[in-house]
Amino acid sequence: MTSRLGRRLRRNIAVTLDLLGKATGRGRRKRRGRAGPAAPLPADPEPGLAGRRVVVTGGNRGIGLAVARGLAAQGCRVAILSRSAAEGEAAASAIGGGAFAVAADLTRADQVGRAFAEVADRLGGIDILINNAGIAEAGHPVLADLPDTEFMAVLDANLGGAFRAAQAALRVMLPQGHGRIINVSTGAVERPQPGHSAYAVSKHGLEGLTMQLAAEAAASGIVVTTLRLGSVHTGMTERTLGTLKASLLPEPDSLLPAFIRVASAPAALVSGRSLSAWRLLADAEAELHTATPIAQVPAFTYPVYVHNGRTVARTDTDFTIYDRAENHYGAAPEVMAALGAATTPRLAAVYPDETHGALRAALAARMRLDSDCFAIGNGSWEILDRLLEMLTRPGDKVVSARPGWFGFNMLVGKRALDATMVPLRRTGAGFEYDLDAVAAAVGPATRLIYLISPSNPEGVVLKKAGFARFLAMVPDSIPILLDEAYAEYVDDPEAVTARDLIDTETRPILGLRTFSKFYALAGARVGYAYGRPEHVEWLKRGERIFSISRLSEVAATAALGATAHQQHIFDTTTAERRRMAGALTGLGLDVVPSQAPFMLVELPDTLTRVVEVFAEEGIYLGEKAFYKQRYFLLPISTPEENSRNLAILARLAGRGPAAAAAGHSVG
């Protein structure tokens, strides 16, 4: 059967290429030669779908029936193809509006040819083909256990059948000089799952068929595109998920707006592309115009803080804002002096050093590594995004911890990745990474492990012994990224960093750090990744040239040399962290032990009330609670601010200001 299907597909492809060659005035011999000028795109359809002559394969049930009914309601003249004549006639009757059915088995080329000829005769032509018909393997086994005959049957129905229908439609559309073929695919091409394996493989092939037919038909007036569908409530999903779970899915009618957009969109936006129905429904213009999954991600800005009717700026001296873990000590005097020296008219007119040589040399000296071990970026956010861009594509799997940093979670959504988020494990004293569960979540399709140490929001660090055991459990080919945004605040001697590993580990391990936190340069936007040169080179290849300004590099380089300022911040923060933990415990509030410049503290009242009371004192807290709304994130700031914050919490806890003063602040 395999060889017979192969011969049939090759023969049919040859026929289609000949047809397209005749329509464009180019024979097969000429196409094999040197490429000529790019062919013009087909003319765009007139606005609206009324009067369009539409064929829907598999239009007797499920999605096909819903689309056929919806297009008929748009004023289209609809013909449905169904393997069963009785089911097709019943569906056409239910659709109404002059819809009719033609029986055809798409695995039979003779039946397909006759059916399309009849449809074209009755409609006077074909404007749109919705290539929807398909089957899934009956037993839903994994691919390795699927009988060859069943695999080929699915492939023949879903890919071979779609090709035969497209070929028959092309024979009608080519003389017309226009037409549109919409091949129906599935989200399984982005997120493969065990079961329905042959079905997913056939849809991958279908999308390849779309690209090839679109290229061949570029000058013929024919548009070929693919629409990927998400799960909806159909008979197939009921058989797969069970009746109850399937009933929770959207109904097939919900997909109609996506089909309408693809059927009526300008050719330049859809020709040869695979578009996602769920992203079209979220933001059709973004999905049509962009080549990434960005349609499902809203643009991000922090919420504007309004206090008593007044919009509060982050630089407002009347308020203290704690929602971004900024360093309230400010930048070092050496940084300000270096910036002053660098702000000359000539330096402002000259491009910065694209190699970031001075900064990389300073980092190399600081961390006792070669300068080739560092890649620089516009904040650690940009470097993380660059790494995901290089390592992953939509549907790939990544493993991280929950709840984790919201920035990573946003980037995962932006790139349509499949993230497994492993919760931290509660211990008697606080939390710890469950590295056994992280390792268990790693599979052959995992492209990245991303862990934060100290974690956000818990302030938990990865420990040397546990991480060494973890490395032995995961494949050494999988990149591991340790986000060390707060590493400079750590005083736990057992904490592990990427610096502890890259001298001995040849596997891809990268550390990610920022100048925004410890060095108080959030406004300069400088971050860096470090690791073995052969792995850092990946990031350098994807770098946007001149991604940081000269002033940013000057500031970061000066910050590395301001050792007295660094020591003051480290000593004060670690002492204040201990003082605050003791004082808060004395107030009867649970505190999660932290190695970061913040800590999770038990709410003494509702989150809304705590935020309100702090706001009355001119302080804006992030309006978010964690771990079943029990904890809020309290920053560890300057001693004066910390004492003030403790006094507020003492009032909220009903203990009075004396309790908050139980510890002595350091100056």
Side-chain angles (χ1 to χ4, degrees), residues 183-206:
N183 292 321
V184 176
S185 186
T186 173
V189 298
E190 290 188 14
R191 295 176 182 268
Q193 299 289 339
H196 290 304
S197 302
Y199 177 77
V201 170
S202 70
K203 295 302 183 181
H204 277 282
L206 181 66

Side-chain angles (χ1 to χ4, degrees), residues 541-592:
R541 293 178 185 181
E543 183 178 349
R544 285 69 168 166
I545 192 169
F546 308 130
S547 63
I548 66 170
S549 71
R550 181 189 306 278
L551 292 180
S552 294
E553 182 169 354
V554 165
T557 305
L560 287 172
T563 54
H565 191 69
Q566 296 168 28
Q567 194 65 50
H568 173 66
I569 291 175
F570 176 80
D571 290 343
T572 308
T573 301
T574 52
E576 285 292 286
R577 194 161 58 203
R578 291 190 294 271
R579 177 175 81 97
M580 293 180 70
L584 291 164
T585 302
L587 294 175
L589 301 176
D590 187 34
V591 177
V592 176

Side-chain angles (χ1 to χ4, degrees), residues 463-475:
K463 300 296 184 77
K464 293 177 181 177
F467 200 73
R469 189 171 61 85
F470 168 73
L471 290 179
M473 291 189 287
V474 298

Side-chain angles (χ1 to χ4, degrees), residues 302-307 312-314 318-324 328 610-624 633 635 644-645:
Y302 283 94
V304 175
Y305 178 47
V306 179
H307 181 69
V312 179
R314 300 193 66 77
D318 294 338
F319 278 81
T320 302
I321 301 180
Y322 283 142
D323 65 337
R324 301 186 200 175
H328 286 254
V610 170
V611 170
E612 286 176 350
V613 171
F614 270 84
E616 290 167 0
E617 300 294 330
I619 303 164
Y620 176 54
L621 292 174
E623 298 183 47
K624 188 171 183 180
L633 196 64
R644 177 195 60 185
N645 297 340

Side-chain angles (χ1 to χ4, degrees), residues 51-52 54 68-69 71-79 91-100 123:
R52 301 278 169 181
V54 180
R69 183 190 303 115
L71 292 178
Q74 294 285 317
C76 295
R77 299 166 61 195
V78 176
S93 176
I95 292 169
F100 64 92
L123 293 178

